[in-house]
Amino acid sequence: MLGSQQDEAVAASQKSALRKQLKGARSGLDRTLQQQAADFAAQTIMQLPEWISARCLASYLPLNDEFDPSAIDSAARERGMSVVYPRIVGPGTLEFSHWTPGEPLDTVQHGLQQPRQSADTQSLSTIDVMLVPLVGWDRQGGRLGYGGGYYDRVLPTTNALTIGLGFECQRVDALPKESHDQGLALVISERQLYRFAV
């Protein structure tokens, strides 16, 4: 047991160093490349068989230099899909609520914006595709988040197709892994689609 705890502590420390490194790499990306990546991701996702049958998309509102999913959100709305966004409702706890561009938002920790408390929520069981923000990802579909564990708690409770959006500069061979870490079914970068066995 002690060895396992030590392994987890080492992994947590390694993740912290990686977060700093990968955030730095992402912050240096050219704005043109970021826009091209957003367009490529939207075109790619619209060709997925899972997208064609989807009725509800869970997206996210990007913070700072995160991969921007707004072109995907627009494509979903054009198809008549519901689009929902994460809202922090407690320590490590998310729910997904409806929001339309132009509606007011609440600003919470670290400047993160989210739908207001009065927004209608969507049951996790009815979400078909979930876009997942990330700091890093690896060749096995492992995801490095921000350390709050929000998505690590959500992902095991949904049957949605989980898609990470990340730049190639955020990809590593293998991430340090802790017992609670959840993988992704797909990642779309500015260059290609990666599908993983999860």
Side-chain angles (χ1 to χ4, degrees), residues 11-23 144:
S13 175
Q14 291 172 335
K15 283 181 179 180
S16 182
L18 264 177
R19 281 189 188 98
K20 186 174 181 181
Q21 173 192 329
L22 296 175
K23 282 181 182 179
L144 179 66

Side-chain angles (χ1 to χ4, degrees), residues 55-56 96 122-130 157-160:
R55 292 178 294 178
C56 181
F96 289 83
Q122 185 88 17
S123 168
L124 272 173
S125 64
T126 61
I127 295 172
D128 301 301
V129 176
M130 182 177 290
T157 68
T158 179
N159 292 318

Side-chain angles (χ1 to χ4, degrees), residues 25-188:
R26 186 177 67 186
S27 68
L29 289 175
D30 177 80
R31 294 292 172 201
T32 302
L33 183 144
Q34 292 182 356
Q35 185 58 55
Q36 290 171 345
D39 293 341
F40 174 78
Q43 293 165 8
T44 301
I45 202 170
M46 284 189 285
Q47 297 173 35
L48 295 174
E50 296 94 338
W51 176 265
I52 295 166
S53 61
R55 292 178 294 178
C56 181
L57 169 72
S59 187
Y60 61 90
L61 295 164
L63 182 64
N64 300 325
D65 45 22
E66 280 184 332
F67 199 115
D68 184 359
S70 58
I72 299 172
D73 303 354
S74 296
R77 289 190 178 94
E78 286 172 14
R79 282 196 58 234
M81 291 168 61
S82 296
V83 184
V84 294
Y85 297 85
R87 204 167 72 76
I88 297 170
V89 293
T93 307
L94 292 179
E95 67 181 18
F96 289 83
S97 300
H98 292 265
W99 176 77
T100 302
E103 292 179 350
L105 291 160
D106 287 338
T107 301
V108 293
Q109 59 200 38
H110 311 299
L112 183 68
Q113 293 192 303
Q114 63 182 28
R116 292 200 153 175
Q117 190 171 352
S118 57
D120 291 336
T121 59
Q122 185 88 17
S123 168
L124 272 173
S125 64
T126 61
I127 295 172
D128 301 301
V129 176
M130 182 177 290
L131 304 180
V132 185
L134 51 78
V135 176
W137 53 287
D138 68 18
R139 295 178 184 275
Q140 295 76 44
R143 170 186 175 267
L144 179 66
Y146 291 86
Y150 291 96
Y151 279 93
D152 286 326
R153 290 177 178 87
V154 165
L155 295 181
T157 68
T158 179
N159 292 318
L161 178 71
T162 57
I163 304 175
L165 297 177
F167 300 101
E168 290 289 335
C169 68
Q170 295 172 269
R171 180 165 65 108
V172 299
D173 285 341
L175 287 168
K177 194 164 172 61
E178 295 177 88
S179 56
H180 60 264
D181 289 336
Q182 299 295 314
L184 299 161
L186 291 83
V187 169
I188 302 175

